[in-house]
């Protein structure tokens, strides 16, 4: 069974997740969306994604897992936009550094038949000196030799 994974927000973190999964395309189909079409095109060129359909609804309707890698001030709007079209049983994973306030927000917005996990990927020490979040700084090993902190409500 192939898992449909959607990454919303094609920055350094989102694109690096897609790159890290590029050797698992028989198990995972990688979709992506960003408000900036140029980021979608660049992520495809890098091989971080398999598809970037134009509409956010096109990338979330069949998604088994959605990874949010959007700026903190866009999280609520993004979730409110996609909530009505989410597949039952979808798992939404958020990469933002805020945890408690985002968890409370999700309880108010998400449908009951979805699951929310907040996680914080730490970086491979090799990339500590790179401070930019631009997708040009995405790496397939950005999270290698690091920890991922996972929380839920």
């Amino acid at each position: 069974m192939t898992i449909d994974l959607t990454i919303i927000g094609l920055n350094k973190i989102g694109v690096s997740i897609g790159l890290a999964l590029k050797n698992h395309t028989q198990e995972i189909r990688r979709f992506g969306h960003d408000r900036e079409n140029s980021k979608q095109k660049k992520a495809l060129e890098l091989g971080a994604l398999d598809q970037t359909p134009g509409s956010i609804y096109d990338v979330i309707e069949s998604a088994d897992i959605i990874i949010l890698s959007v700026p903190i001030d866009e999280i609520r709007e993004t979730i409110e936009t996609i909530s009505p079209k989410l597949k039952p049983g979808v798992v939404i994973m958020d990469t933002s550094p805020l945890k408690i306030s985002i968890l409370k927000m999700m309880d108010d917005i998400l449908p009951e038949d979805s699951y929310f996990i907040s996680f914080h990927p730490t970086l491979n020490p090799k990339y500590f000196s790179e401070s930019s979040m631009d997708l040009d700084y995405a790496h397939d090993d950005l999270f290698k030799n690091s920890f991922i902190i996972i929380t839920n409500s």
Side-chain angles (χ1 to χ4, degrees):
M1 181 175 118
T2 304
I3 294 171
D4 284 357
L5 172 91
T6 293
I7 301 170
I8 300 175
L10 300 177
N11 56 24
K12 177 181 183 173
I13 301 295
V15 173
S16 292
I17 291 169
L19 287 171
L21 298 171
K22 73 180 173 188
N23 293 326
H24 301 282
T25 56
Q26 290 190 358
E27 299 93 9
I28 301 170
R29 287 189 304 184
R30 302 162 301 150
F31 298 87
H33 179 79
D34 196 281
R35 290 179 178 196
E36 296 179 38
N37 287 337
S38 61
K39 288 184 178 183
Q40 293 180 170
K41 183 179 178 186
K42 175 87 179 208
L44 278 172
E45 289 170 1
L46 291 170
L49 301 170
D50 302 310
Q51 296 179 42
T52 58
S55 163
I56 193 168
Y57 299 115
D58 293 337
V59 296
I60 59 106
E61 287 182 322
S62 67
D64 299 301
I65 299 171
I66 297 172
I67 296 178
L68 293 178
S69 187
V70 298
I72 293 168
D73 62 340
E74 294 179 18
I75 293 173
R76 177 178 277 285
E77 178 186 354
T78 301
I79 293 298
E80 287 175 340
T81 299
I82 67 174
S83 284
K85 301 283 187 179
L86 293 173
K87 177 180 171 179
V90 66
V91 175
I92 299 170
M93 303 175 73
D94 173 53
T95 63
S96 74
L98 294 180
K99 302 298 173 210
I100 294 173
S101 59
I102 301 297
L103 286 168
K104 288 179 182 176
M105 181 191 316
M106 293 306 135
D107 286 342
D108 294 338
I109 301 172
L110 286 176
E112 287 185 27
D113 59 357
S114 63
Y115 303 92
F116 182 78
I117 297 170
S118 182
F119 77 108
H120 188 79
T122 60
L123 304 183
N124 180 337
K126 173 173 150 181
Y127 300 111
F128 279 173
S129 64
E130 294 180 356
S131 60
S132 176
M133 286 301 288
D134 189 84
L135 71 91
D136 288 327
Y137 293 90
H139 305 280
D140 61 355
D141 64 344
L142 186 66
F143 311 113
K144 187 175 183 173
N145 300 321
S146 67
F147 294 98
I148 294 181
I149 302 162
I150 300 172
T151 61
N152 68 13
S153 58

